[in-house]
Amino acid sequence: MLVTLVCGPVAAVAADRGLRRPVMAGSAVVAAAAMGAVALSVAGGRPPLALLLGALLVERTATACFEAAARGTVALVAAPREVPRVVAGLEAGDRAALLAGPLLGGVLYQLARPLPFAADALSYAVTALCVRSMRSDLRAASTAATPSPGHAPAAAPVPSPDPAGAPAASPARTAPPHPPGTPAPAPAAPGTPVPGGSAAVPDAGPPERTPTPLGAPASHARDALAGLVLLRSSPRLRLVLVWTTTVNAALAALYFAAIFALQDRGGPVAMGLVLAASGGAGLAGALAAPAVVRRVGGARTLVAVTWLTVLPAAGLTVAGSPWSLGACFGAFCLLLAPATVVVQSTVIADTPHHLQARTGALMATAVVGAGAGSPVVAGMLTTHAGPVATPAVCALALAVLALFTGLRAGRLRSGDRP
């Protein structure tokens, strides 16, 4: 978690400055090297603990940088109308990996101890090759200056896929050519009129300052805060931030409450059943999400899903068996998939291309920070008020969020529908 909070914003700034593909490919290569080192160490015998911890730290750092840089890729490679479908496909892929990964890892470990780590290293290597083979350079087309804190950025329209829709650049007005055989005249000073009736040469302004070592951190900090400026100026993005943070914090608290409840009701096997049901339901919801959003609409989908999530959260207050817990969590994940497509599509549509990674990193920081306190809250509620307290509080929080989302749903209807 700390690695994500520290490394995410740094990698996001580099990605938005035009280094998205190098950061993604380099991070994948570093992660592959770390997992490869673990595989070789395991194959040679019992690996030292320091090596395992160091490799894990390197792999987590590289993964955090990759995820931060990858935000904004969808906006650069997909047409605006295809964004919900692409987001749903990525969500389905993540769900499928979470569902099949532990099973595959267990099978490979039974065959040979180094195999799971070698397979992980191979997956990172394939990822690096895929990133390098992309035809797009993953650079934002917009070269607009990054807004500084305190100044709201101008709204950036979603670029049209039709090149003919772009405004044509006006022809530059230049001085008349000098006669052949005569020396070229000296450049006109700024502010003086050019012969031939053309406009005066514009003042170039003060010369560009060479960045100093002391000014580089300040410049980087201003760039990192550009996402915060955008969030403060966009009501739709603020709604998405509140919704995502609240739902993820509630879901994390419910998971830990389930772990506490299942300690005497089957232990790891029962929790594996709950996680399998959640993963399968989430995968089904992600596959159906594009059709649901297309038929119902983004705003109505978000409001309806938020209200419906209150039911499984409240159901966890009376769920006693692993099967009932799995059913409640499965319903929760099934419902959340279409809403996830809506909020992610809204962020992509409302964020200028040159701010995609930084805005996503800021939202991820808020979500991770809110989720970090969920285990503590769940533990305190379970200890002092019993196992029913955490689901009840989460159900109440989701009901308040549903009311808030319903009152703000008109903001999602303004502009293009996600």
Side-chain angles (χ1 to χ4, degrees):
M1 180 188 68
L2 182 61
V3 170
T4 301
L5 295 178
V6 174
C7 298
V10 177
V13 172
D16 283 340
R17 284 177 172 178
L19 299 177
R20 179 173 281 105
R21 194 165 73 166
V23 170
M24 293 172 62
S27 299
V29 169
V30 171
M35 288 296 99
V38 174
L40 292 175
S41 178
V42 173
R46 187 172 183 176
L49 179 61
L51 174 63
L52 294 178
L53 293 178
L56 178 61
L57 178 61
V58 172
E59 188 267 343
R60 285 292 88 197
T61 302
T63 302
C65 293
F66 182 93
E67 292 175 349
R71 298 185 184 101
T73 303
V74 174
L76 296 173
V77 301
R81 67 178 63 183
E82 295 294 327
V83 166
R85 183 182 62 82
V86 175
V87 170
L90 293 174
E91 182 73 13
D94 289 341
R95 296 287 182 175
L98 291 175
L99 189 61
L103 176 61
L104 181 60
V107 172
L108 292 176
Y109 189 82
Q110 294 299 321
L111 295 176
R113 292 174 61 193
L115 280 183
F117 308 103
D120 202 11
L122 179 61
S123 68
Y124 282 121
V126 171
T127 299
L129 291 176
C130 291
V131 172
R132 294 296 300 173
S133 63
M134 294 181 69
R135 288 178 294 178
S136 172
D137 60 2
L138 301 182
R139 293 175 181 265
S142 174
T143 57
T146 301
S148 59
H151 296 80
V158 177
S160 171
D162 182 9
S170 58
R173 305 182 66 182
T174 60
H178 60 279
T182 61
T192 60
V194 177
S198 56
V201 177
D203 191 355
E208 184 178 357
R209 295 181 179 179
T210 303
T212 61
L214 294 179
S219 175
H220 195 284
R222 286 194 298 270
D223 287 347
L225 291 176
L228 178 61
V229 177
L230 178 63
L231 285 174
R232 291 176 57 187
S233 65
S234 174
R236 283 159 55 101
L237 293 182
R238 290 200 304 270
L239 172 60
V240 169
L241 178 62
V242 171
W243 191 93
T244 306
T245 303
T246 305
V247 169
N248 280 274
L251 185 59
L254 291 175
Y255 268 126
F256 279 95
I259 292 175
F260 300 149
L262 291 174
Q263 287 180 346
D264 300 326
R265 302 177 190 175
V269 176
M271 195 62 203
L273 174 64
V274 172
L275 293 177
S278 303
L283 176 59
L287 293 175
V292 173
V293 175
R294 184 171 58 252
R295 292 185 179 184
V296 180
R300 287 193 294 269
T301 297
L302 188 63
V303 174
V305 164
T306 310
W307 277 113
L308 290 174
T309 55
V310 178
L311 299 179
L316 289 172
T317 60
V318 296
S321 65
W323 294 102
S324 58
L325 287 172
C328 290
F329 275 103
F332 204 104
C333 294
L334 179 68
L335 291 169
L336 283 182
T340 301
V341 172
V342 173
V343 296
Q344 291 187 8
S345 301
T346 300
V347 173
I348 292 173
D350 285 20
T351 305
H353 288 180
H354 65 285
L355 291 175
Q356 289 274 341
R358 281 170 283 181
T359 305
L362 182 62
M363 289 190 169
T365 299
V367 170
V368 171
S374 296
V376 178
V377 174
M380 293 178 60
L381 290 175
T382 302
T383 301
H384 298 287
V388 178
T390 300
V393 170
C394 290
L396 178 61
L398 291 172
V400 174
L401 177 65
L403 181 61
F404 174 80
T405 305
L407 295 175
R408 299 293 191 274
R411 295 178 176 179
L412 289 179
R413 296 190 182 98
S414 60
D416 295 335
R417 189 178 71 178

Short mmCIF file of all heavy atoms in Angstrom, two decimals, residues 83-138:
data_model
loop_
_atom_site.label_atom_id
_atom_site.label_comp_id
_atom_site.label_asym_id
_atom_site.label_seq_id
_atom_site.Cartn_x
_atom_site.Cartn_y
_atom_site.Cartn_z
N VAL A 83 -15.18 3.22 -25.30
CA VAL A 83 -14.56 3.20 -23.98
C VAL A 83 -15.28 2.28 -23.01
O VAL A 83 -14.64 1.46 -22.32
CB VAL A 83 -14.43 4.64 -23.42
CG1 VAL A 83 -14.11 4.62 -21.93
CG2 VAL A 83 -13.35 5.39 -24.17
N PRO A 84 -16.63 2.33 -22.87
CA PRO A 84 -17.29 1.41 -21.93
C PRO A 84 -17.02 -0.06 -22.24
O PRO A 84 -16.80 -0.87 -21.32
CB PRO A 84 -18.77 1.75 -22.07
CG PRO A 84 -18.79 3.16 -22.56
CD PRO A 84 -17.60 3.29 -23.46
N ARG A 85 -17.02 -0.42 -23.51
CA ARG A 85 -16.77 -1.81 -23.87
C ARG A 85 -15.35 -2.22 -23.52
O ARG A 85 -15.10 -3.32 -23.01
CB ARG A 85 -17.02 -2.02 -25.36
CG ARG A 85 -16.85 -3.46 -25.83
CD ARG A 85 -17.08 -3.57 -27.32
NE ARG A 85 -16.11 -2.79 -28.07
CZ ARG A 85 -14.88 -3.22 -28.37
NH1 ARG A 85 -14.48 -4.41 -27.96
NH2 ARG A 85 -14.06 -2.46 -29.06
N VAL A 86 -14.38 -1.34 -23.79
CA VAL A 86 -12.99 -1.65 -23.47
C VAL A 86 -12.79 -1.74 -21.96
O VAL A 86 -12.11 -2.65 -21.46
CB VAL A 86 -12.06 -0.58 -24.08
CG1 VAL A 86 -10.62 -0.81 -23.65
CG2 VAL A 86 -12.16 -0.60 -25.60
N VAL A 87 -13.39 -0.82 -21.21
CA VAL A 87 -13.28 -0.86 -19.75
C VAL A 87 -13.87 -2.15 -19.19
O VAL A 87 -13.31 -2.79 -18.30
CB VAL A 87 -13.95 0.38 -19.13
CG1 VAL A 87 -14.07 0.24 -17.62
CG2 VAL A 87 -13.17 1.64 -19.47
N ALA A 88 -15.03 -2.55 -19.74
CA ALA A 88 -15.65 -3.79 -19.28
C ALA A 88 -14.78 -4.99 -19.60
O ALA A 88 -14.67 -5.93 -18.80
CB ALA A 88 -17.03 -3.95 -19.93
N GLY A 89 -14.13 -4.99 -20.77
CA GLY A 89 -13.24 -6.09 -21.12
C GLY A 89 -12.04 -6.18 -20.19
O GLY A 89 -11.65 -7.29 -19.77
N LEU A 90 -11.47 -5.03 -19.84
CA LEU A 90 -10.36 -5.03 -18.90
C LEU A 90 -10.79 -5.50 -17.52
O LEU A 90 -10.07 -6.25 -16.84
CB LEU A 90 -9.75 -3.63 -18.81
CG LEU A 90 -9.06 -3.11 -20.07
CD1 LEU A 90 -8.64 -1.66 -19.88
CD2 LEU A 90 -7.85 -3.97 -20.42
N GLU A 91 -11.98 -5.10 -17.11
CA GLU A 91 -12.50 -5.53 -15.81
C GLU A 91 -12.73 -7.04 -15.81
O GLU A 91 -12.41 -7.73 -14.83
CB GLU A 91 -13.81 -4.79 -15.51
CG GLU A 91 -14.43 -5.12 -14.17
CD GLU A 91 -13.67 -4.51 -13.00
OE1 GLU A 91 -12.82 -3.64 -13.23
OE2 GLU A 91 -13.95 -4.92 -11.86
N ALA A 92 -13.27 -7.57 -16.90
CA ALA A 92 -13.48 -9.01 -17.00
C ALA A 92 -12.15 -9.77 -16.96
O ALA A 92 -12.03 -10.82 -16.33
CB ALA A 92 -14.25 -9.35 -18.28
N GLY A 93 -11.14 -9.22 -17.64
CA GLY A 93 -9.83 -9.87 -17.61
C GLY A 93 -9.24 -9.89 -16.21
O GLY A 93 -8.65 -10.91 -15.79
N ASP A 94 -9.37 -8.79 -15.47
CA ASP A 94 -8.87 -8.76 -14.10
C ASP A 94 -9.59 -9.78 -13.22
O ASP A 94 -8.98 -10.48 -12.41
CB ASP A 94 -9.03 -7.36 -13.51
CG ASP A 94 -8.08 -6.36 -14.14
OD1 ASP A 94 -7.08 -6.80 -14.74
OD2 ASP A 94 -8.35 -5.14 -14.05
N ARG A 95 -10.92 -9.85 -13.38
CA ARG A 95 -11.70 -10.80 -12.59
C ARG A 95 -11.30 -12.24 -12.91
O ARG A 95 -11.17 -13.08 -12.01
CB ARG A 95 -13.19 -10.61 -12.86
CG ARG A 95 -13.74 -9.26 -12.44
CD ARG A 95 -13.86 -9.16 -10.95
NE ARG A 95 -14.43 -7.90 -10.53
CZ ARG A 95 -14.73 -7.59 -9.27
NH1 ARG A 95 -14.50 -8.47 -8.32
NH2 ARG A 95 -15.24 -6.42 -8.95
N ALA A 96 -11.11 -12.53 -14.19
CA ALA A 96 -10.72 -13.88 -14.59
C ALA A 96 -9.34 -14.23 -14.04
O ALA A 96 -9.10 -15.37 -13.58
CB ALA A 96 -10.73 -14.01 -16.11
N ALA A 97 -8.42 -13.27 -14.05
CA ALA A 97 -7.08 -13.53 -13.51
C ALA A 97 -7.12 -13.78 -12.01
O ALA A 97 -6.45 -14.69 -11.50
CB ALA A 97 -6.16 -12.36 -13.83
N LEU A 98 -7.93 -12.99 -11.30
CA LEU A 98 -8.05 -13.20 -9.86
C LEU A 98 -8.71 -14.53 -9.53
O LEU A 98 -8.43 -15.14 -8.49
CB LEU A 98 -8.85 -12.06 -9.24
CG LEU A 98 -8.17 -10.68 -9.23
CD1 LEU A 98 -9.13 -9.62 -8.71
CD2 LEU A 98 -6.91 -10.71 -8.39
N LEU A 99 -9.57 -14.99 -10.42
CA LEU A 99 -10.27 -16.24 -10.17
C LEU A 99 -9.39 -17.45 -10.49
O LEU A 99 -9.37 -18.43 -9.75
CB LEU A 99 -11.54 -16.28 -11.03
CG LEU A 99 -12.53 -17.43 -10.76
CD1 LEU A 99 -13.05 -17.36 -9.33
CD2 LEU A 99 -13.69 -17.36 -11.75
N ALA A 100 -8.64 -17.38 -11.61
CA ALA A 100 -7.85 -18.53 -12.04
C ALA A 100 -6.42 -18.51 -11.50
O ALA A 100 -5.78 -19.57 -11.43
CB ALA A 100 -7.81 -18.58 -13.57
N GLY A 101 -5.92 -17.32 -11.14
CA GLY A 101 -4.53 -17.22 -10.71
C GLY A 101 -4.17 -18.08 -9.51
O GLY A 101 -3.20 -18.86 -9.57
N PRO A 102 -4.89 -17.99 -8.39
CA PRO A 102 -4.54 -18.82 -7.23
C PRO A 102 -4.59 -20.32 -7.53
O PRO A 102 -3.72 -21.07 -7.08
CB PRO A 102 -5.59 -18.42 -6.18
CG PRO A 102 -6.00 -17.04 -6.58
CD PRO A 102 -5.97 -17.02 -8.07
N LEU A 103 -5.60 -20.74 -8.29
CA LEU A 103 -5.69 -22.16 -8.64
C LEU A 103 -4.50 -22.60 -9.49
O LEU A 103 -3.87 -23.64 -9.23
CB LEU A 103 -6.99 -22.43 -9.37
CG LEU A 103 -7.20 -23.85 -9.89
CD1 LEU A 103 -7.21 -24.84 -8.72
CD2 LEU A 103 -8.49 -23.95 -10.69
N LEU A 104 -4.17 -21.81 -10.50
CA LEU A 104 -3.04 -22.15 -11.36
C LEU A 104 -1.73 -22.13 -10.58
O LEU A 104 -0.85 -23.01 -10.76
CB LEU A 104 -2.97 -21.17 -12.53
CG LEU A 104 -1.84 -21.39 -13.54
CD1 LEU A 104 -1.95 -22.75 -14.18
CD2 LEU A 104 -1.87 -20.29 -14.60
N GLY A 105 -1.57 -21.16 -9.70
CA GLY A 105 -0.36 -21.11 -8.90
C GLY A 105 -0.20 -22.32 -8.00
O GLY A 105 0.90 -22.87 -7.85
N GLY A 106 -1.31 -22.77 -7.41
CA GLY A 106 -1.24 -23.96 -6.56
C GLY A 106 -0.87 -25.21 -7.35
O GLY A 106 -0.08 -26.04 -6.88
N VAL A 107 -1.44 -25.36 -8.54
CA VAL A 107 -1.13 -26.53 -9.38
C VAL A 107 0.34 -26.52 -9.78
O VAL A 107 1.04 -27.55 -9.70
CB VAL A 107 -2.04 -26.55 -10.62
CG1 VAL A 107 -1.60 -27.64 -11.60
CG2 VAL A 107 -3.49 -26.78 -10.20
N LEU A 108 0.85 -25.36 -10.21
CA LEU A 108 2.26 -25.27 -10.62
C LEU A 108 3.20 -25.52 -9.44
O LEU A 108 4.25 -26.16 -9.60
CB LEU A 108 2.54 -23.89 -11.22
CG LEU A 108 1.87 -23.59 -12.57
CD1 LEU A 108 2.17 -22.16 -13.00
CD2 LEU A 108 2.33 -24.57 -13.63
N TYR A 109 2.82 -25.06 -8.26
CA TYR A 109 3.68 -25.28 -7.10
C TYR A 109 3.76 -26.75 -6.75
O TYR A 109 4.82 -27.24 -6.30
CB TYR A 109 3.16 -24.47 -5.91
CG TYR A 109 4.09 -24.47 -4.72
CD1 TYR A 109 5.16 -23.58 -4.68
CD2 TYR A 109 3.91 -25.34 -3.66
CE1 TYR A 109 6.03 -23.56 -3.60
CE2 TYR A 109 4.77 -25.34 -2.57
CZ TYR A 109 5.83 -24.45 -2.55
OH TYR A 109 6.69 -24.44 -1.47
N GLN A 110 2.66 -27.47 -6.95
CA GLN A 110 2.69 -28.91 -6.68
C GLN A 110 3.57 -29.64 -7.69
O GLN A 110 4.19 -30.65 -7.37
CB GLN A 110 1.26 -29.47 -6.72
CG GLN A 110 0.36 -28.97 -5.61
CD GLN A 110 0.88 -29.33 -4.23
OE1 GLN A 110 1.41 -30.42 -4.02
NE2 GLN A 110 0.73 -28.42 -3.28
N LEU A 111 3.63 -29.14 -8.92
CA LEU A 111 4.48 -29.76 -9.93
C LEU A 111 5.96 -29.49 -9.66
O LEU A 111 6.79 -30.40 -9.75
CB LEU A 111 4.09 -29.26 -11.32
CG LEU A 111 2.70 -29.64 -11.81
CD1 LEU A 111 2.41 -29.00 -13.17
CD2 LEU A 111 2.54 -31.17 -11.89
N ALA A 112 6.29 -28.25 -9.37
CA ALA A 112 7.68 -27.88 -9.05
C ALA A 112 7.65 -26.53 -8.36
O ALA A 112 6.93 -25.61 -8.79
CB ALA A 112 8.54 -27.83 -10.31
N ARG A 113 8.42 -26.37 -7.32
CA ARG A 113 8.37 -25.15 -6.52
C ARG A 113 8.71 -23.88 -7.30
O ARG A 113 8.09 -22.84 -7.09
CB ARG A 113 9.30 -25.28 -5.31
CG ARG A 113 8.84 -26.32 -4.29
CD ARG A 113 9.86 -26.49 -3.20
NE ARG A 113 10.10 -25.25 -2.49
CZ ARG A 113 11.12 -25.05 -1.65
NH1 ARG A 113 12.02 -26.01 -1.45
NH2 ARG A 113 11.26 -23.89 -1.03
N PRO A 114 9.68 -23.91 -8.21
CA PRO A 114 10.00 -22.66 -8.93
C PRO A 114 8.98 -22.27 -9.99
O PRO A 114 9.02 -21.12 -10.47
CB PRO A 114 11.36 -22.96 -9.57
CG PRO A 114 11.86 -24.20 -8.94
CD PRO A 114 10.67 -24.96 -8.52
N LEU A 115 8.10 -23.19 -10.40
CA LEU A 115 7.24 -22.92 -11.54
C LEU A 115 6.32 -21.71 -11.36
O LEU A 115 6.16 -20.92 -12.30
CB LEU A 115 6.41 -24.17 -11.88
CG LEU A 115 7.13 -25.25 -12.68
CD1 LEU A 115 6.18 -26.40 -13.00
CD2 LEU A 115 7.71 -24.66 -13.95
N PRO A 116 5.66 -21.51 -10.21
CA PRO A 116 4.78 -20.32 -10.10
C PRO A 116 5.55 -19.01 -10.28
O PRO A 116 5.05 -18.09 -10.94
CB PRO A 116 4.20 -20.44 -8.68
CG PRO A 116 4.36 -21.86 -8.31
CD PRO A 116 5.58 -22.34 -9.01
N PHE A 117 6.75 -18.94 -9.75
CA PHE A 117 7.53 -17.71 -9.87
C PHE A 117 8.05 -17.53 -11.29
O PHE A 117 8.10 -16.41 -11.81
CB PHE A 117 8.69 -17.74 -8.87
CG PHE A 117 8.27 -18.03 -7.47
CD1 PHE A 117 8.46 -19.30 -6.92
CD2 PHE A 117 7.65 -17.07 -6.70
CE1 PHE A 117 8.06 -19.58 -5.64
CE2 PHE A 117 7.24 -17.34 -5.40
CZ PHE A 117 7.44 -18.61 -4.86
N ALA A 118 8.43 -18.65 -11.94
CA ALA A 118 8.86 -18.56 -13.33
C ALA A 118 7.71 -18.14 -14.24
O ALA A 118 7.89 -17.34 -15.16
CB ALA A 118 9.44 -19.90 -13.78
N ALA A 119 6.51 -18.66 -13.96
CA ALA A 119 5.34 -18.26 -14.76
C ALA A 119 5.02 -16.78 -14.55
O ALA A 119 4.64 -16.07 -15.50
CB ALA A 119 4.14 -19.13 -14.38
N ASP A 120 5.18 -16.29 -13.32
CA ASP A 120 4.95 -14.88 -13.05
C ASP A 120 5.95 -14.02 -13.81
O ASP A 120 5.60 -12.99 -14.41
CB ASP A 120 5.05 -14.63 -11.56
CG ASP A 120 4.32 -13.36 -11.14
OD1 ASP A 120 3.57 -12.80 -11.96
OD2 ASP A 120 4.49 -12.92 -9.98
N ALA A 121 7.23 -14.44 -13.79
CA ALA A 121 8.25 -13.70 -14.52
C ALA A 121 7.95 -13.71 -16.03
O ALA A 121 8.13 -12.69 -16.71
CB ALA A 121 9.62 -14.31 -14.25
N LEU A 122 7.51 -14.85 -16.54
CA LEU A 122 7.18 -14.94 -17.96
C LEU A 122 6.02 -14.01 -18.31
O LEU A 122 6.03 -13.37 -19.38
CB LEU A 122 6.84 -16.38 -18.32
CG LEU A 122 6.45 -16.64 -19.78
CD1 LEU A 122 7.59 -16.27 -20.72
CD2 LEU A 122 6.03 -18.10 -19.96
N SER A 123 5.03 -13.92 -17.43
CA SER A 123 3.89 -13.04 -17.71
C SER A 123 4.32 -11.58 -17.78
O SER A 123 3.84 -10.82 -18.63
CB SER A 123 2.82 -13.23 -16.63
OG SER A 123 3.26 -12.74 -15.38
N TYR A 124 5.24 -11.17 -16.91
CA TYR A 124 5.74 -9.80 -16.96
C TYR A 124 6.55 -9.57 -18.23
O TYR A 124 6.48 -8.49 -18.85
CB TYR A 124 6.61 -9.51 -15.74
CG TYR A 124 5.82 -9.23 -14.48
CD1 TYR A 124 5.99 -10.02 -13.34
CD2 TYR A 124 4.92 -8.17 -14.42
CE1 TYR A 124 5.27 -9.77 -12.18
CE2 TYR A 124 4.20 -7.92 -13.27
CZ TYR A 124 4.37 -8.72 -12.15
OH TYR A 124 3.66 -8.46 -11.01
N ALA A 125 7.34 -10.56 -18.65
CA ALA A 125 8.12 -10.41 -19.87
C ALA A 125 7.21 -10.28 -21.09
O ALA A 125 7.47 -9.45 -21.99
CB ALA A 125 9.07 -11.61 -20.04
N VAL A 126 6.15 -11.07 -21.13
CA VAL A 126 5.20 -10.97 -22.24
C VAL A 126 4.52 -9.60 -22.23
O VAL A 126 4.28 -8.99 -23.28
CB VAL A 126 4.16 -12.11 -22.15
CG1 VAL A 126 3.03 -11.90 -23.15
CG2 VAL A 126 4.83 -13.45 -22.37
N THR A 127 4.22 -9.10 -21.03
CA THR A 127 3.62 -7.77 -20.94
C THR A 127 4.54 -6.70 -21.51
O THR A 127 4.10 -5.81 -22.25
CB THR A 127 3.30 -7.45 -19.47
OG1 THR A 127 2.39 -8.41 -18.96
CG2 THR A 127 2.70 -6.06 -19.33
N ALA A 128 5.82 -6.78 -21.18
CA ALA A 128 6.78 -5.80 -21.71
C ALA A 128 6.85 -5.88 -23.23
O ALA A 128 6.88 -4.85 -23.92
CB ALA A 128 8.15 -6.04 -21.10
N LEU A 129 6.85 -7.09 -23.79
CA LEU A 129 6.89 -7.23 -25.24
C LEU A 129 5.62 -6.68 -25.89
O LEU A 129 5.68 -6.05 -26.95
CB LEU A 129 7.07 -8.70 -25.61
CG LEU A 129 8.44 -9.32 -25.26
CD1 LEU A 129 8.45 -10.80 -25.60
CD2 LEU A 129 9.56 -8.60 -26.01
N CYS A 130 4.48 -6.91 -25.26
CA CYS A 130 3.22 -6.39 -25.81
C CYS A 130 3.21 -4.86 -25.81
O CYS A 130 2.74 -4.23 -26.78
CB CYS A 130 2.04 -6.94 -25.02
SG CYS A 130 1.74 -8.71 -25.23
N VAL A 131 3.71 -4.26 -24.73
CA VAL A 131 3.75 -2.80 -24.68
C VAL A 131 4.68 -2.25 -25.74
O VAL A 131 4.36 -1.27 -26.44
CB VAL A 131 4.18 -2.34 -23.27
CG1 VAL A 131 4.42 -0.84 -23.25
CG2 VAL A 131 3.13 -2.71 -22.23
N ARG A 132 5.84 -2.87 -25.92
CA ARG A 132 6.80 -2.39 -26.91
C ARG A 132 6.30 -2.57 -28.33
O ARG A 132 6.69 -1.83 -29.24
CB ARG A 132 8.13 -3.13 -26.74
CG ARG A 132 8.85 -2.83 -25.44
CD ARG A 132 9.28 -1.40 -25.35
NE ARG A 132 10.18 -1.02 -26.44
CZ ARG A 132 10.59 0.21 -26.67
NH1 ARG A 132 10.16 1.20 -25.90
NH2 ARG A 132 11.42 0.46 -27.67
N SER A 133 5.43 -3.56 -28.55
CA SER A 133 4.94 -3.82 -29.90
C SER A 133 3.72 -3.00 -30.28
O SER A 133 3.24 -3.11 -31.41
CB SER A 133 4.61 -5.31 -30.04
OG SER A 133 3.56 -5.68 -29.16
N MET A 134 3.20 -2.19 -29.37
CA MET A 134 2.04 -1.36 -29.69
C MET A 134 2.41 -0.31 -30.74
O MET A 134 3.50 0.29 -30.68
CB MET A 134 1.51 -0.68 -28.42
CG MET A 134 0.93 -1.63 -27.40
SD MET A 134 0.29 -0.79 -25.94
CE MET A 134 -1.13 0.05 -26.63
N ARG A 135 1.53 -0.11 -31.70
CA ARG A 135 1.80 0.87 -32.74
C ARG A 135 1.73 2.29 -32.21
O ARG A 135 2.43 3.17 -32.69
CB ARG A 135 0.81 0.68 -33.89
CG ARG A 135 1.05 -0.57 -34.72
CD ARG A 135 0.02 -0.72 -35.79
NE ARG A 135 -1.32 -0.96 -35.25
CZ ARG A 135 -2.42 -1.09 -35.99
NH1 ARG A 135 -2.33 -1.00 -37.32
NH2 ARG A 135 -3.59 -1.32 -35.41
N SER A 136 0.88 2.54 -31.24
CA SER A 136 0.78 3.87 -30.65
C SER A 136 1.94 4.12 -29.70
O SER A 136 2.39 3.21 -28.99
CB SER A 136 -0.55 4.02 -29.89
OG SER A 136 -0.59 5.23 -29.18
N ASP A 137 2.43 5.37 -29.69
CA ASP A 137 3.49 5.71 -28.74
C ASP A 137 2.92 6.08 -27.38
O ASP A 137 3.68 6.39 -26.45
CB ASP A 137 4.35 6.84 -29.28
CG ASP A 137 3.54 8.12 -29.53
OD1 ASP A 137 2.32 8.13 -29.25
OD2 ASP A 137 4.12 9.10 -30.02
N LEU A 138 1.59 6.07 -27.24
CA LEU A 138 0.90 6.32 -25.98
C LEU A 138 1.21 7.70 -25.42
O LEU A 138 1.19 7.92 -24.21
CB LEU A 138 1.26 5.25 -24.93
CG LEU A 138 0.92 3.80 -25.31
CD1 LEU A 138 1.27 2.87 -24.17
CD2 LEU A 138 -0.54 3.66 -25.70
#
